[in-house]
Amino acid sequence: MIAIIGGGKMGEALLAGLLATGYEPTQLVVTEPNQERAAELRERYGVAAVPLAESARRASTLILAVKPQDMVDLLDELDGDIGADTLVISIAAGITTSLLEKHLSGEVAVVRAMPNTPALVGRGMTALAGGAHTADGQLDHAESLLRSVGEVVRVPERHMDTVTAISGSGPAYFYFIAETMIEAGVAMGMTRAAAKKLVTQTIGGAAAMLDDAGAHPVVLREAVTSPGGTTAAAVRELERHGVRTAFTDAIEAARERSRQLSEG
């Protein structure tokens, strides 16, 4: 039995993904304190919505899909109801395996995972790392579950805050770029619908080329940048305004905030 604790967007994405990849509703339960939301998930997916203690007692795998600031209280409430063989997977930003282990009695197997919001459309990117008591087979199981909403990569835990900054927060950076490009098109006289279509397809196509070609981004960028051409003029302006440095600083700020979240 797999229990998803938290019925927000990411919890629902995992629930839908697991059902889409072959799990039966009887193999899943969800715990959501908002009764209206719990009823909505129960009706939409046919899964049982049960209290927290019941989830902890029934499930062999717990997926904790709550906000980082709510995690310690949740762990303290769960402690004592979790079985010795239960696998606990946290998808909360900044929550370390050592913090999870600290608040759970015994040698509980824990996994720290960081998905991103494209999981909502089955195109997520998740990184994960195991705790001190987590066996390779349990990591395999966690990876299998999280692959229901996209790609998965294992990393040493020391890199998880960087993962959060690059991948967890990453979609927002691209939405920021897309918003800027769309508004530029509108300012230059295009309709918003046309500008959005151009930008969406351009970003999606560029991402596909980056994935499929296997080439370094510099190589792909240079292939678009003719000497003295329009792209060269645009890139020169980006460099003049320090966009590369700004992005690096932004990612470092996100990583630092992820570290702070684990400190409470």
Side-chain angles (χ1 to χ4, degrees):
M1 178 71 70
I2 299 166
I4 298 173
I5 312 301
K9 289 184 178 180
M10 196 61 72
E12 182 178 2
L14 287 165
L15 178 60
L18 290 169
L19 291 169
T21 53
Y23 282 86
E24 298 294 331
T26 54
Q27 295 176 283
L28 302 165
V29 296
V30 64
T31 294
E32 168 53 50
N34 184 308
Q35 293 305 305
E36 184 176 338
R37 175 62 171 164
E40 180 183 345
L41 294 171
R42 184 170 56 242
E43 181 177 347
R44 182 175 300 167
Y45 298 103
V47 300
V50 302
L52 181 62
E54 184 177 345
S55 279
R57 289 192 296 266
R58 291 176 59 183
S60 58
T61 301
L62 290 174
I63 301 175
L64 309 184
V66 301
K67 296 177 180 178
Q69 57 267 34
D70 297 332
M71 184 62 74
V72 169
D73 288 342
L74 173 66
L75 294 171
D76 291 341
E77 189 173 351
L78 281 171
D79 193 27
D81 290 318
I82 296 178
D85 297 326
T86 301
L87 174 63
V88 177
I89 303 170
S90 165
I91 63 169
I95 301 301
T96 63
T97 59
S98 61
L99 186 147
L100 295 168
E101 291 162 350
K102 176 182 176 182
H103 289 272
L104 296 173
S105 301
E107 296 184 349
V108 177
V110 302
V111 170
R112 176 183 178 181
M114 187 68 249
N116 60 14
T117 55
L120 300 175
V121 293
R123 298 289 299 276
M125 182 69 243
T126 301
L128 58 80
H133 313 299
T134 308
D136 287 342
Q138 291 169 313
L139 273 175
D140 291 340
H141 179 57
E143 185 172 330
S144 173
L145 296 178
L146 292 163
R147 201 178 292 117
S148 69
V149 292
E151 297 292 327
V152 181
V153 62
R154 298 186 195 184
V155 300
E157 187 169 8
R158 66 180 182 275
H159 295 318
M160 285 297 290
D161 292 314
T162 301
V163 166
T164 300
I166 293 175
S167 178
S169 300
Y173 312 152
F174 282 90
Y175 300 145
F176 186 88
I177 293 170
E179 176 190 357
T180 302
M181 293 172 68
I182 291 167
E183 293 304 319
V186 171
M188 296 176 191
M190 296 193 71
T191 66
R192 191 172 301 277
K196 182 180 178 183
K197 181 67 173 178
L198 286 168
V199 171
T200 301
Q201 186 63 24
T202 298
I203 290 177
M209 286 190 67
L210 183 61
D211 189 35
D212 294 341
H216 193 281
V218 170
V219 174
L220 295 174
R221 175 173 61 78
E222 288 178 345
V224 184
T225 310
S226 302
T230 58
T231 307
V235 170
R236 185 172 62 249
E237 285 300 299
L238 292 173
E239 294 287 9
R240 185 173 70 84
H241 287 282
V243 171
R244 188 188 303 270
T245 299
F247 263 99
T248 301
D249 289 347
I251 291 168
E252 288 179 351
R255 182 184 63 176
E256 182 59 29
R257 181 57 183 150
S258 179
R259 289 173 174 169
Q260 292 170 356
L261 288 171
S262 68
E263 298 169 358

